[in-house]
Amino acid sequence: MVSQRRNVPACPRRVAKATVLSAAATAAAVMSAVPVLAEPGAPPADSAAAAREVDRLFAEVERAVDRYNGTAERVDALRDVLERRQGRVARSQEAVNAKRRALGSAAAAEYRVGGFEPTLTLMLSDSPETYLDRAAVFDRLGTRRAAELRDLLAAQRVLDQRREEAEEQLAELTEEQARLARDKRAVQTRLAAARRLYERLDDAERAARERADRAAERRSPGADAETRAAAPAPASAVSSRAAAAVAAARGAVGLPYGWGQAGPDAFDCSGLIQWAWGRAGVALPRTSQAQAGAGRRVALSQARPGDIVVYRADASHVAMYVGGGQMVHAPYPGARVRYEAVDVMPVSSVVRP
């Protein structure tokens, strides 16, 4: 879906519409620790081409981070399921062991008590009636032991099935963990390539990008109060939970971007949205693509504070609308959580959790 910029609530154009995925000066420092895992392709023809390539690589970083987050979410879920299944295996094993011990003790006791031949037992008994009473008891005991043996066999079958399920779950978890490692390497590769391309920018291009980033990072709730007042949402239109989520997102402004992180000290784009709404008591999915379907879609012109703004056709970036044509987001590695104009990138959709 193309951006609906003509429907954006009015706001003064105070925020420079800097390319969100441009590399800030601090990006070089943050990414210097990232291992270089792949060499970029042919060098760009000029600094402007290099700048466009940096933007493209940061968009790829966001997509790779989203894949990493999705895989990490699956790994956590599989680990939880595995732990529950392993717990059931342990409990089933205890039940089988207890039944085996009970049957073994009973068998030994019955052998010791009933080891005589029936005729000899009758001859040595005080009366035939006493013997017959004992025989009836032994018969009932035998029936009960048979039932207990059947219970033991059934418990063993349950144990075997649960062991098989746990082994299958472990294999699936192992596969997802390997995928998680590959996704992590993909993020690191793109970050390293973006850093090297950033270093190829000429001084003028780099200075322009750094000025735009600093201008965006200097913005604060107080600095854009007038902007937010330009098109306020009615108080009755914003739920208490949405207000709490917006307050949390505003409180995160200035904290660093951290890929794969969902607070409280660093965030990637979807991590910020999940954390902010989580502070309001609402559980959202971890990835930006999943968050794009985590509510009711509304027109950008009808956006209210707390709504999730989804960017690009592949929903690879998300932000929180805070009113007055502004949003809060974690833009890219090296930057900090900040305010920007909601139409700074092509808007794909707006979702109300």
Side-chain angles (χ1 to χ4, degrees):
M1 183 183 300
V2 297
S3 172
Q4 304 178 43
R5 295 189 182 189
R6 62 181 178 276
N7 296 325
V8 177
C11 67
R13 296 288 182 173
R14 293 187 175 185
V15 180
K17 295 174 72 172
T19 304
V20 173
L21 299 178
S22 63
T26 51
V30 170
M31 294 187 294
S32 61
V34 176
V36 176
L37 300 179
E39 289 299 323
D46 53 34
S47 184
R52 290 191 296 272
E53 182 67 7
V54 168
D55 291 342
R56 186 188 69 80
L57 284 171
F58 268 109
E60 286 189 2
V61 167
E62 287 205 290
R63 296 182 184 101
V65 168
D66 215 38
R67 286 193 298 272
Y68 173 88
N69 289 337
T71 305
E73 192 173 38
R74 290 194 299 274
V75 166
D76 289 342
L78 288 171
R79 187 179 290 115
D80 290 342
V81 173
L82 177 61
E83 289 177 357
R84 290 196 297 272
R85 288 187 172 174
Q86 288 176 332
R88 287 198 293 267
V89 167
R91 290 190 294 274
S92 295
Q93 183 68 69
E94 290 174 0
V96 167
N97 292 343
K99 290 179 183 299
R100 282 177 175 167
R101 286 193 298 269
L103 278 171
S105 300
E110 289 174 18
Y111 177 81
R112 288 193 299 271
V113 173
F116 290 108
E117 288 292 331
T119 304
L120 181 59
T121 303
L122 176 59
M123 292 174 60
L124 295 176
S125 64
D126 295 334
S127 68
E129 291 79 6
T130 303
Y131 168 76
L132 293 174
D133 289 342
R134 289 176 180 173
V137 170
F138 288 147
D139 184 61
R140 289 195 298 272
L141 286 173
T143 301
R144 189 176 72 184
R145 297 305 172 217
E148 290 177 350
L149 179 58
R150 286 193 295 271
D151 289 345
L152 171 60
L153 294 176
Q156 183 66 55
R157 286 194 294 272
V158 170
L159 173 60
D160 293 342
Q161 180 181 352
R162 288 180 173 177
R163 277 179 174 165
E164 183 178 352
E165 290 172 349
E167 289 171 359
E168 291 174 354
Q169 198 73 41
L170 178 60
E172 187 176 358
L173 174 60
T174 301
E175 182 180 349
E176 285 297 307
Q177 287 174 326
R179 183 176 289 109
L180 183 66
R182 292 194 297 271
D183 290 344
K184 181 177 181 179
R185 289 194 296 272
V187 174
Q188 292 173 327
T189 297
R190 286 160 176 77
L191 282 172
R195 172 179 172 268
R196 290 193 297 275
L197 277 173
Y198 177 81
E199 292 172 349
R200 294 179 183 175
L201 300 181
D202 61 29
D203 292 342
E205 180 72 34
R206 190 179 302 182
R209 287 168 174 261
E210 291 172 4
R211 283 195 301 271
D213 287 333
R214 284 196 299 270
E217 291 177 359
R218 280 198 301 268
R219 296 186 63 81
S220 65
D224 67 346
E226 183 179 342
T227 298
R228 294 200 306 277
S236 59
V238 181
S239 69
S240 58
R241 287 188 171 182
V246 169
R250 289 187 187 279
V253 170
L255 292 176
Y257 179 102
W259 70 269
Q261 297 188 49
D265 301 318
F267 306 88
D268 58 28
C269 70
S270 59
L272 174 64
I273 303 304
Q274 185 190 51
W275 176 83
W277 271 101
R279 299 279 288 180
V282 177
L284 291 182
R286 179 62 180 90
T287 68
S288 61
Q289 291 179 343
Q291 289 173 4
R296 178 171 62 90
R297 287 197 175 193
V298 298
L300 182 58
S301 60
Q302 300 300 314
R304 298 174 184 171
D307 289 351
I308 301 171
V309 185
V310 184
Y311 293 97
R312 306 193 193 99
D314 61 358
S316 56
H317 188 78
V318 287
M320 181 177 290
Y321 185 69
V322 294
Q326 298 289 295
M327 56 83 164
V328 170
H329 69 149
Y332 51 81
R336 294 181 178 275
V337 177
R338 68 197 193 192
Y339 294 91
E340 289 200 79
V342 72
D343 61 345
V344 73
M345 286 187 294
V347 175
S348 172
S349 62
V350 177
V351 176
R352 183 165 299 153

